[in-house]
Amino acid sequence: MTEQTKHLDIGCGDNPRNPFSMDYLYGVDIQDLDQKKLSFEYKKDNVVLNKLPFPDSFFDSVSCFDFLEHVPRVLIEKNKSKFPFIELMNEIHRVLKNGGIFYGITPGYPKEEAFIDPTHVNFITFNTHKYFVAPKYKARMYGYTGSFQLCTKVRWVKLSQELERNYFLKLLKGFFYFFLPRKRSHILWKFKAIKNL
């Protein structure tokens, strides 16, 4: 019998994403959601300030759709610096199984979408991923303890294309946006968690 697969969508709202069609879907968000109306396992939590409310190596995949840009890079508490973005990346790595996939999509600098929302405080560039993936793990100096490998090249995408469920339409939109690079406003990360280092 095969083990049931589990996916976590961070910042899920009432419409969580399951990009790899895992068997079980979990969501975490700061909002109050009506548990009775939900078709997925939901936990309310502020993951900027707290650890993810799940055990180690629990998920086969984790996603963040339009969420990372809301996570502050630095907070000052009692005259000490705290790095919520680094801590969240540690937590994502912690809850993923060895070989589990992190799928993040966020508006990227210098596109307007990165700045238009006043709650966007974390500006991701095309090279930010290098702080979290092999071989350099540049964020180690800030307390990063995770280990990710790139699954695919980091790339610019159009959010509506990545949300498309119909495979044919997704391909068609990809072809269309290839010739209209100005329409691609989001950066896509797809990392694999490495836990046997």
Side-chain angles (χ1 to χ4, degrees):
M1 189 166 111
T2 59
E3 186 180 335
Q4 299 290 301
T5 56
K6 297 181 285 295
H7 177 77
L8 171 64
D9 190 40
I10 300 174
C12 63
D14 57 7
N15 184 28
R17 307 308 193 308
N18 188 359
F20 305 108
S21 300
M22 298 296 175
D23 299 317
Y24 291 102
L25 178 58
Y26 293 73
V28 63
D29 201 296
I30 197 168
Q31 300 180 56
D32 283 313
L33 300 179
D34 186 350
Q35 300 267 358
K36 295 175 188 168
K37 295 181 179 179
L38 301 178
S39 61
F40 61 97
E41 186 75 32
Y42 173 74
K43 292 195 179 187
K44 179 184 177 187
D45 208 337
N46 184 341
V47 301
V48 170
L49 301 176
N50 305 316
K51 294 183 178 289
L52 288 170
F54 302 99
D56 296 356
S57 302
F58 189 71
F59 293 105
D60 298 277
S61 58
V62 172
S63 61
C64 291
F65 284 81
D66 269 340
F67 178 76
L68 296 176
E69 67 274 16
H70 298 278
V71 180
R73 289 191 177 215
V74 180
L75 290 177
I76 307 297
E77 290 183 346
K78 299 177 185 174
N79 293 328
K80 286 183 79 175
S81 296
K82 182 177 177 177
F83 303 105
F85 182 41
I86 302 291
E87 291 173 10
L88 178 64
M89 293 303 292
N90 283 337
E91 281 296 292
I92 290 168
H93 184 268
R94 180 185 66 78
V95 301
L96 277 168
K97 295 177 180 176
N98 184 39
I101 303 298
F102 171 58
Y103 187 90
I105 183 166
T106 184
Y109 173 87
K111 303 293 185 172
E112 178 184 19
E113 288 80 356
F115 301 97
I116 200 163
D117 183 332
T119 66
H120 290 183
V121 293
N122 186 10
F123 304 112
I124 308 295
T125 74
F126 192 75
N127 291 309
T128 302
H129 71 282
K130 293 178 181 177
Y131 281 76
F132 304 103
V133 298
K136 294 189 179 178
Y137 303 111
K138 291 182 172 185
R140 291 273 191 252
M141 67 179 131
Y142 306 117
Y144 174 62
T145 58
S147 300
F148 286 108
Q149 267 181 351
L150 283 177
C151 292
T152 59
K153 286 185 177 181
V154 171
R155 59 189 169 99
W156 287 98
V157 297
K158 178 73 174 159
L159 180 62
S160 64
Q161 175 195 357
E162 291 306 308
L163 297 178
E164 182 63 61
R165 292 179 185 255
N166 182 301
Y167 182 72
F168 176 73
L169 285 176
K170 190 171 187 170
L171 283 176
L172 191 61
K173 285 182 177 183
F175 180 77
F176 176 74
Y177 293 130
F178 178 79
F179 292 103
L180 290 172
R182 289 179 296 147
K183 296 284 185 186
R184 293 178 286 175
S185 58
H186 285 62
I187 294 171
L188 174 64
W189 288 354
K190 191 174 174 189
F191 303 163
K192 178 167 63 169
I194 307 302
K195 296 217 167 178
N196 54 358
L197 293 178

